[in-house]
Structure formats: C-alpha cells, structure tokens
C-alpha cells in the first residue's frame, strides 16, 4: 500500500512542476502584448494556457491558471487603455476566458472521478485475482517454480486463464488451463475449476481419475439453471500433470490444450499427447477414456506450461508468436529469470498489448534426486 500511494504522488508532483509552462505562457503573452504596437492584440492567445493545463493538472490547477489568465487579460486592458476595459471586445475576451476555464474545471472534475472509479475497479480486480489465482509457490518439493499471468483486459487484470499446483505424498500435481471466453465470466468459471482441483488433487487417486472428476465438476458447476444436461457452450482446455518425486518421467492428461515444452540445453522439445482428450466439460459428449501420456523431465531441464494466449499472440503484421523458435538458445535455468525474459520478448512481439489472456509456468528440474 505505501508503494501504491507513492506511485500516486509522483504524477501529482510532476503536474505541479509543469504548471510553470502555462504560467510562463501567460507572463510572456502579457509582456509582449503590453510592449506591442496599439493595433496588435495578443490577449486572445491567453486561452492556450488553461487549454493545455488539463494535460498534466487537475481541477485546482486548471482553475488557478484560468484565474491568472483572466487577471492578465484585465491588467492588459487597464495598462494599455483604461477605457478599453469597458469595450465590448475586451469584455468578450474576458468572458470567453471565464467560460473556457469553467468548462475545463468541470471536465477535470469528471475526469478525476472517472479515474478514481477505474483505480478502484483495478484494485478490486487485482485483489480478486490474488485470491482466485495466486502466484505459485517458488518451490514445490525440490522443484523451482515461477508463474506469469498477463490479462488482455488491462482494466480488469483478471480473465479465464488458470493454473494451480498441489503437493501429494509422491510428487507434485499441476493444472494449466484456459476457459472459453474472456473477462469476469471466464474468471468465475476458472475459479470453479480451480476449487475442484484443489479439493481433489491431494486425494490418492490416479491422474485419469482426477481428470474424470474435474470434467464432471466442470459439467455440473457450469450448467445453466434449469438445464437437464451439461452440453452448454462453456468448456475449459487444460493440461493436468503429475511430476513424481522419485521418477524422471512426467505423467500428463491433455484435454485440448497446447502441449508442454521441455527446454534442454537451449533446445526446446514439444511434448505432444499421444492420446489427447476433449476439453473439460465436454466429457459426456465424447465419453472419453482418459489415457495418461508421459515424457522425460531430467534434472537441469526447464518445463514450460502455457495457454494459447501465448502462441496466438500476433504482431502488427498478424504473425503469431513463434514460441519454440523464440526460446531456442535460451539457457536460463532459473524459472524467474526465464519468465522475465519471456515477458519482455512476448510484449515486444505484440507491441505492448495482448489480445487474449496469457499464462505461463516455468519449472526447473533439480540437479539432485527429488525427495
């Protein structure tokens, strides 16, 4: 909270410093107008001072600059010709300054009110995300872990991508997924699945039994009131993995989700599922038998889990982000350092703004046997 307040104070201090610009403009116009020939009138240029002040100032700053502009216009009329202050032309200029200044003050009041509302929405959404989707622990057993979430809706900071992890007696279970849709509705669906995963992941059930439970949970939890079946339009793609403590092979059930990548000595390998399953929530349509695939994950490897917001991120020409191509040669074995570089590279590719939520988890294998 102190950091947040300090961040709010910096723009205020910067805005106050920039007040020098409109005030200097008022002084310069007034001086030039007073020394100019009688047939030259620069007073109308004073309106530029209050006009530019909303770029960096609030209602009080705009009101101050507007008042100074009106005073300057009055002084110009009195000094150049005391009788000119009573002329309709000079009075019209003063009235125009008053109207422009008042209008800009009202504009700034509404703008600040809107900014406070947006700041409150962002604060609430960030708090909700920390509850629904907290960052993964830095260590899970002897694994080192880092997680990254980039929301497409900057104002909301929350969406439909999800991830979670749970320790079992024999290893670590993880889920990474993507709800169909965006925004708060997708976040609610993600919360339902994460709740089901956290309840069931600790049980002594096989991976295929866990996935079957998650599919039924999604089916019933996302059913619309009054429906008799679970064939709605909502579904969730996901990869559910089990990383044993005493084995170098990762077990996985892929439910319509992009495959993991193992980065070994700078060379990425995509771990495609041999027996993919339909997305969670569509199990009753396909009546799947959940087959458990496996792939090697040796000490020193880096395991990458991600959502399609990564691979479907486009640059200005419409080119998708080539994930495996971009990370080829990356030798960072620290998950945090890897994701810092990855975030910078992804945002550079898209020009700073994603069109879809994106999430990624980096997991580092240990150099010692897992225990």
């Amino acid at each position: 909270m102190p950091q947040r307040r300090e961040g709010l104070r910096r723009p205020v201090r910067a805005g106050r410093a920039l007040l020098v610009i409109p005030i200097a403009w008022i002084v310069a116009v007034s001086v030039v107008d007073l020394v100019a020939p009688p047939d030259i009138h620069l007073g109308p240029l004073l309106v530029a001072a209050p006009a530019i002040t909303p770029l960096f100032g609030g209602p009080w700053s705009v009101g101050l600059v507007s008042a100074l502009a009106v005073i300057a216009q009055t002084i110009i009329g009195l000094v150049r010709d005391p009788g000119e202050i009573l002329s309709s032309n000079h009075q019209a200029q003063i009235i125009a300054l008053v109207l422009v200044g008042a209008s800009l003050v009202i504009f700034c009041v509404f703008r600040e009110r809107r900014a406070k509302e947006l700041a409150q929405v962002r604060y609430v959404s960030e708090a909700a995300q920390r509850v629904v989707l907290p960052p993964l622990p830095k260590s899970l057993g002897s694994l080192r872990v880092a997680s990254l979430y980039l929301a497409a809706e900057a104002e909301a900071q929350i969406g439909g991508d999800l991830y979670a992890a749970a320790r079992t007696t024999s290893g670590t279970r993880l889920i990474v997924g993507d709800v169909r849709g965006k925004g708060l509705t997708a976040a609610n669906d993600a919360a339902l699945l994460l709740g089901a995963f956290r309840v069931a992941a600790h049980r002594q059930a096989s991976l295929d039994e866990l996935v079957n439970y998650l599919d039924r949970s999604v089916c019933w939890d996302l059913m619309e009131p009054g429906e008799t079946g679970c064939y709605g339009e909502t579904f969730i793609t996901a990869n559910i993995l089990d990383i044993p403590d005493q084995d170098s092979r990762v077990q996985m059930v892929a439910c319509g989700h992009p495959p993991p990548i193992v980065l070994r000595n700078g060379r990425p390998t995509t771990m495609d599922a041999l027996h993919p399953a339909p997305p969670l929530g569509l199990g009753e349509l396909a009546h799947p038998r959940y087959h458990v695939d496996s792939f090697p994950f040796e000490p020193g490897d880096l395991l990458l889990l991600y959502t399609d917001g990564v691979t479907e991120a486009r640059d200005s020409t419409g080119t998708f982000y080539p994930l495996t191509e971009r990370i080829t040669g990356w030798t960072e074995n620290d998950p945090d350092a890897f994701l810092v570089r990855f975030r910078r590279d992804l945002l550079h590719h898209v020009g700073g703004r994603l069109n879809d939520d994106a999430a990624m988890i980096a997991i580092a294998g240990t150099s010692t046997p897992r225990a």
Side-chain angles (χ1 to χ4, degrees), residues 57-58 77 103 147 173 184 203 228 230 243-244 261 269-270 276 321-322 324 331 335 345 356 365:
S103 299
S147 56
R173 281 182 170 170
L184 295 179
R203 298 176 181 173
T228 57
C230 59
I243 305 179
I261 294 175
T269 302
T270 302
Y321 182 75
T324 55
T331 56
D345 189 67
D356 192 10

Side-chain angles (χ1 to χ4, degrees), residues 238-240 249-260 269-278 288-296:
N239 284 332
I240 300 92
R249 295 192 68 83
V250 175
Q251 295 182 326
M252 176 183 71
V253 175
C255 300
H257 199 75
T269 302
T270 302
M271 301 301 172
D272 293 301
L274 298 177
H275 308 284
R289 293 181 57 191
Y290 293 105
H291 297 275
V292 178
D293 292 292
S294 66
F295 58 85

Side-chain angles (χ1 to χ4, degrees), residues 8 12 28 39-40 43 48-49 52 73 75 114 121 125 131 185 187 204 219 226 236 244 256 264 297 326-327 350 354:
L8 292 174
V12 173
D39 58 331
I40 297 178
I52 66 172
Q73 183 70 20
I75 293 174
R114 177 64 174 167
V121 169
S125 63
V131 173
T185 300
Q204 300 302 312
C219 181
I236 303 174
R264 179 176 300 167
F297 180 46
R326 296 297 282 261
I327 65 175
V350 300
L354 294 171

Side-chain angles (χ1 to χ4, degrees), residues 26-49:
I26 292 173
V27 173
V29 170
S30 301
V31 171
V32 174
D33 199 334
L34 290 174
V35 300
D39 58 331
I40 297 178
H41 299 278
L42 301 180
L45 294 179
L46 291 172
V47 74

Side-chain angles (χ1 to χ4, degrees), residues 309-310 312-316 319 321 345-355:
V310 173
E312 294 181 3
R314 299 172 183 261
D315 63 10
S316 58
T319 303
Y321 182 75
D345 189 67
L346 177 63
L347 292 179
H348 175 74
H349 178 81
V350 300
R353 182 69 179 270
L354 294 171
N355 292 323

Side-chain angles (χ1 to χ4, degrees), residues 7 18 50 52 71 108 118 125 146 162 216 242 250 334 361:
L18 290 173
I52 66 172
I71 293 172
C108 289
L118 289 176
S125 63
L162 59 95
R216 287 186 285 109
D242 200 345
V250 175
D334 178 68
I361 303 172

